[in-house]
Amino acid sequence: MRFDKLVEFIVDEIIDDEMGGRTQLEVVLDIAKANVEELSVQDTYKIYGEATTDAIKVRVLGHITSEVYKIRYDGKMYKVISKRFVKNKTVFLLELSEDGN
């Protein structure tokens, strides 16, 4: 298994502007090497109940304990559907974000 792709872990941070308003920023938490695998139509049908081709599985070495909501890979933004730990790896199941953010 090769960990030869780069992914960016992104969290949303809300900042008060001291005037009653808020600004939401996307902050890159970390950049890591990962193994990325596109899910087949059969797998996405089992998970979502519909056949989509915009889902990927990302494996990263180590345990990522931070709450990550989005991951950027290959210039596209994906939202995290599930996260689990398998031996010494963290496995994310991702879906392409419709709004691009």
Side-chain angles (χ1 to χ4, degrees):
M1 186 176 303
R2 289 187 167 184
F3 293 86
D4 57 350
K5 309 288 187 203
L6 288 179
V7 295
E8 296 177 350
F9 299 113
I10 297 174
V11 294
D12 291 332
E13 187 173 307
I14 297 175
I15 299 174
D16 287 330
D17 63 0
E18 303 297 329
M19 295 173 40
R22 293 183 183 167
T23 304
Q24 183 174 349
L25 298 174
E26 291 182 349
V27 178
V28 176
L29 186 65
D30 195 11
I31 298 174
K33 290 188 177 187
N35 173 271
V36 179
E37 170 186 333
E38 290 188 20
L39 293 177
S40 68
V41 174
Q42 293 172 341
D43 291 339
T44 57
Y45 186 75
K46 288 178 189 175
I47 295 166
Y48 301 111
E50 60 185 47
T52 62
T53 58
D54 296 332
I56 60 174
K57 185 187 293 186
V58 173
R59 294 179 191 92
V60 180
L61 286 176
H63 285 242
I64 308 296
T65 56
S66 304
E67 284 299 319
V68 177
Y69 301 109
K70 298 177 185 175
I71 293 179
R72 185 178 294 131
Y73 167 68
D74 199 27
K76 297 177 185 174
M77 189 70 72
Y78 292 88
K79 61 183 176 179
V80 176
I81 301 300
S82 70
K83 174 176 90 170
R84 61 188 165 116
F85 302 111
V86 178
K87 296 185 181 180
N88 65 340
K89 296 182 251 346
T90 304
V91 179
F92 293 95
L93 183 62
L94 306 175
E95 178 183 52
L96 188 64
S97 180
E98 284 119 18
D99 59 359
N101 292 332

